[in-house]
């Protein structure tokens, strides 16, 4: 006997699709200068936002995004039964410290930059499974806290290569509920960890592209949906290099998502913002979802989207030990039903 | 080598993928980067030379002037790191601003600034030489080896 709410090996079908009743986004100054400034709820004036360290700022962004999403529906933190969140920092401290303030039952996740889709997937399963009425899914990333953990001190004069990506300073929070009005999360495909032997931490898009293609392929196969089912199929943070590699891989596996296939890392910044290949980080797909995408779906501008957040699962230690970069991608289908 | 067919297939797949990625990967603008490195590195050296000539004109011996010049350049490297200018220079000039002694100052001051929030001992103290440390270690090792070689040659 197979599980009743699953199709194929990886895809969860939600029997009563949970409703996205509210969402909020908070982004940094650079993201606020990009093409979507009108879509974000809040744009920070600077990178510290009155805090003493970038780590504290990142945690505050997650916490405030969650509170903002709640306040839009006149809800209190006590109105949510579960918080599912994760981030990029060691021991997912941004989420842990935000959860300390929000003080509701909490599940911490680590999926690197795939966290937005991963947390939505877990939250939706909790709601549809009847374990919770209302769940908060959130994530955040901060450019400078990520830089100091994964790369070099900020003031050090290092040259970036054209394939490198810019970790977004952004946070997104989504509230899922059983019933209500708003776009619904109809199904989700859990990704497998895929490693194609890439070792270049300055070219993460290339390390993640095979994982994104694998998950998207599985999603269409298992749901049986036609390739042009979604108005937009959007990956998390493959950026320009990863996106062009993914397009090539799609041709090879005989699947071309249409009519629109793009990437949050490509969309988040405009071409003149000096971000090389494009954006990355948990916040990249989180703020694009909670900024423009959900507004467009809720407003009827788009019928549905497939958000495929992508994550590179290495650490600075594994990079120094010359390990290759494993990657993952989770897909969530958001639609007006 | 007892590799099973599955592993061989996996390796072949990874190799093929590697070729694809290399084809798609944008090449760094080499000529432009070299020009920036040449101009910025050269200008840093010109500033050094001017400082040295100035100390000589004050009546210092050539050897003293060189020491004073190095010290001044280290100060300037640290100062411009603190002002948040040196990293912008490095992003453009690459090796042009890393190789001169000012780049060494940058590599020490940048982590010192960054890790101040973790306190003076386990932050600044422990992290200050995280980038410059290897340079110091292997620099000292090389100097000891060369010193030994010179000593041996003297007694030969």
């Amino acid at each position: 006997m197979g599980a009743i709410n699953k199709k194929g090996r990886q895809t969860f079908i939600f029997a009563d699709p949970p409703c996205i009743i509210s969402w909020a986004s908070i982004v940094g100054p650079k993201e606020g200068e990009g093409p979507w400034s009108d879509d974000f709820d809040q744009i920070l004036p600077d990178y510290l936002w009155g805090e003493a360290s970038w780590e504290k700022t990142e945690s505050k962004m997650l916490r405030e995004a969650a509170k903002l999403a709640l306040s839009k529906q006149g809800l209190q933190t006590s109105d949510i039964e579960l918080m599912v969140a994760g981030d990029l920092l060691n021991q997912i401290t941004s989420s842990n410290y935000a959860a300390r303030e929000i003080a509701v039952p909490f599940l911490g996740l680590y999926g690197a930059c795939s966290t937005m889709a991963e947390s939505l997937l877990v939250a939706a399963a909790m709601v549809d499974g009847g374990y919770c009425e209302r769940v908060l899914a959130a994530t955040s990333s901060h450019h400078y806290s990520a830089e100091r953990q994964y790369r070099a001190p900020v003031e050090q004069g290092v040259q970036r290569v054209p394939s490198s990506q810019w970790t977004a300073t952004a946070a997104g929070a989504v509230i899922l509920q059983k019933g209500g009005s708003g776009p619904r999360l109809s199904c989700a495909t859990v990704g497998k960890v895929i490693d194609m032997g890439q070792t270049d931490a300055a070219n993460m898009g290339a390390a993640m592209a095979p994982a994104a293609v694998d998950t998207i392929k599985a999603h269409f196969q298992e749901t049986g949906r036609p390739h042009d089912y979604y108005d937009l199929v959007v990956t998390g943070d493959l950026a320009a290099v990863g996106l062009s590699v993914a397009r090539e891989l799609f041709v090879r596996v005989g699947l071309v998502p249409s009519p629109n296939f793009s990437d949050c890392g490509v969309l988040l910044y405009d071409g003149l913002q000096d971000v090389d290949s494009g954006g990355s980080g948990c916040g990249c797909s989180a703020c694009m979802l909670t900024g423009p995408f959900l507004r467009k779906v809720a407003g009827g501008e788009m019928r549905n989207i497939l958000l495929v957040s992508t994550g590179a699962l290495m650490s600075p230690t594994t990079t120094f030990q010359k390990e290759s970069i494993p990657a993952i991608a989770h897909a969530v289908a958001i639609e007006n039903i | 080598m007892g590799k099973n067919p599955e592993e061989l297939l996996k390796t072949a797949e990874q190799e093929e993928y590697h070729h694809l990625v290399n084809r798609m990967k944008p090449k760094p603008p080499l000529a432009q980067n070299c020009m920036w490195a040449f101009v910025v590195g050269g200008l840093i050296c010109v500033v050094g030379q001017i400082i040295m000539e100035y100390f000589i004109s004050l009546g210092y011996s050539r050897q003293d002037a060189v020491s004073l010049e190095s010290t001044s350049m280290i100060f300037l490297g640290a100062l411009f790191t603190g002002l948040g200018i040196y990293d912008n220079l490095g992003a453009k000039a690459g090796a042009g601003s890393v190789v001169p002694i000012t780049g060494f100052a940058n590599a020490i001051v940048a982590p010192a600034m960054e890790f101040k929030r973790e306190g003076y001992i386990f932050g600044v103290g422990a992290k200050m030489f995280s980038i410059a440390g290897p340079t110091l270690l292997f620099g000292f090792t090389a100097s000891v080896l060369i010193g030994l070689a010179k000593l041996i040659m003297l007694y030969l």
Side-chain angles (χ1 to χ4, degrees):
Chain A
M1 273 296 283
I4 48 168
N5 288 335
K6 202 175 75 166
K7 268 194 180 171
R9 288 183 68 197
Q10 299 169 248
T11 303
F12 300 163
I13 308 288
F14 300 116
D16 176 16
C19 191
I20 298 176
I21 57 160
S22 188
W23 58 88
S25 56
I26 296 178
V27 300
K30 195 182 180 87
E31 291 67 25
E33 286 165 13
W36 311 99
S37 53
D38 295 340
D39 285 307
F40 300 128
D41 290 308
Q42 196 170 349
I43 297 167
L44 301 187
D46 61 72
Y47 285 97
L48 277 173
W49 202 15
E51 293 294 319
S53 73
W54 294 312
E55 287 77 8
K56 285 184 181 169
T57 313
E58 185 178 326
S59 187
K60 181 177 176 182
M61 286 169 68
L62 199 155
R63 188 181 75 217
E64 293 305 317
K67 286 187 178 168
L68 195 55
L70 284 167
S71 69
K72 282 184 182 181
Q73 290 296 325
L75 298 168
Q76 308 285 323
T77 49
S78 55
D79 293 323
I80 45 175
E81 287 155 273
L82 180 69
M83 167 177 174
V84 193
D87 57 271
L88 279 176
L89 298 188
N90 291 337
Q91 289 80 39
I92 54 165
T93 47
S94 306
S95 307
N96 296 342
Y97 284 71
R100 179 181 68 184
E101 308 298 319
I102 292 171
V104 295
F106 167 65
L107 288 175
L109 301 175
Y110 186 82
C113 313
S114 72
T115 309
M116 192 70 248
E118 187 183 13
S119 60
L120 280 172
L121 187 160
V122 172
M126 288 293 179
V127 172
D128 192 42
Y131 298 102
C132 303
E133 280 279 309
R134 199 177 290 127
V135 182
L136 164 73
T139 186
S140 68
S141 59
H142 190 292
H143 180 74
Y144 292 111
S145 63
E147 278 295 301
R148 79 195 300 233
Q149 180 177 308
Y150 287 95
R151 286 172 278 271
V154 173
E155 294 299 339
Q156 203 191 334
V158 286
Q159 200 164 33
R160 291 160 55 85
V161 295
S163 63
S164 64
Q165 294 174 233
W166 186 272
T167 308
T169 304
V174 175
I175 296 167
L176 287 177
Q177 183 185 284
K178 190 173 183 66
S181 68
R184 284 166 185 258
L185 211 156
S186 62
C187 59
T189 302
V190 183
K192 288 184 291 195
V193 176
I194 306 267
D195 190 335
M196 288 300 278
Q198 292 291 300
T199 51
D200 187 0
N203 189 3
M204 289 190 301
M208 296 187 289
V213 172
D214 188 79
T215 300
I216 294 171
K217 189 179 155 213
H219 180 81
F220 281 110
Q221 257 172 10
E222 296 181 347
T223 55
R225 290 179 171 177
H227 298 172
D228 58 357
Y229 182 86
Y230 296 102
D231 283 351
L232 175 67
V233 174
V234 67
T235 48
D237 57 349
L238 297 184
V241 179
L243 188 67
S244 53
V245 173
R247 282 188 200 279
E248 178 83 21
L249 290 177
F250 274 127
V251 173
R252 289 185 187 187
V253 299
L255 186 159
V256 179
S258 57
N260 295 307
F261 170 56
S262 193
D263 177 75
C264 299
V266 172
L267 297 170
L268 180 56
Y269 301 98
D270 76 27
L272 302 169
Q273 286 189 287
D274 220 4
V275 292
D276 294 298
S277 186
S280 73
C282 302
C284 184
S285 63
C287 76
M288 284 304 289
L289 176 73
T290 55
F293 296 157
L294 279 173
R295 180 183 63 77
K296 283 175 195 280
V297 175
E301 236 176 288
M302 292 195 288
R303 277 178 306 133
N304 51 22
I305 66 164
L306 185 70
L307 175 76
V308 189
S309 297
T310 42
L313 303 174
M314 82 299 180
S315 81
T317 308
T318 60
T319 305
F320 284 134
Q321 293 179 356
K322 307 230 172 3
E323 282 266 14
S324 55
I325 303 171
I328 197 158
H330 302 294
V332 288
I334 294 164
E335 40 196 326
N336 283 319
I337 300 175
Chain B
M1 294 290 283
K3 275 202 168 178
N4 64 38
E6 258 175 48
E7 273 176 40
L8 284 172
L9 190 68
K10 182 87 195 153
T11 318
E13 237 183 295
Q14 290 191 348
E15 258 170 42
E16 197 196 338
Y17 184 64
H18 196 67
H19 288 304
L20 171 69
V21 170
N22 277 346
R23 195 152 52 79
M24 297 286 187
K25 199 163 77 174
K27 303 275 172 289
L30 207 61
Q32 191 191 326
N33 285 351
C34 286
M35 205 190 71
W36 267 101
F38 178 77
V39 172
V40 172
L43 281 176
I44 291 173
C45 294
V46 168
V47 172
Q49 189 69 36
I50 291 170
I51 292 174
M52 192 177 100
E53 296 297 336
Y54 171 71
F55 281 121
I56 288 175
S57 76
L58 288 182
Y60 288 98
S61 72
R62 197 168 178 83
Q63 206 173 351
D64 286 348
V66 167
S67 303
L68 285 166
E69 181 245 324
S70 304
T71 320
S72 311
M73 291 305 280
I74 289 171
F75 168 75
L76 287 178
L79 179 71
F80 282 100
T81 302
L83 293 175
I85 295 169
Y86 208 86
D87 60 321
N88 298 332
L89 202 62
K92 284 271 180 211
S97 62
V98 172
V99 176
I101 202 163
T102 45
F104 194 65
N106 171 249
I108 295 174
V109 175
M113 285 169 67
E114 179 113 358
F115 290 94
K116 202 173 145 241
R117 285 165 193 151
E118 280 77 19
Y120 283 99
I121 294 174
F122 292 108
V124 176
K127 301 281 188 182
M128 194 165 173
F129 293 98
S130 57
I131 295 150
T135 323
L136 290 173
L137 172 70
F138 294 113
F140 289 157
T141 311
S143 70
V144 168
L145 289 178
I146 291 167
L148 279 173
K150 192 175 176 187
L151 203 66
I152 291 164
M153 274 158 70
L154 275 180
Y155 286 98
L156 275 180

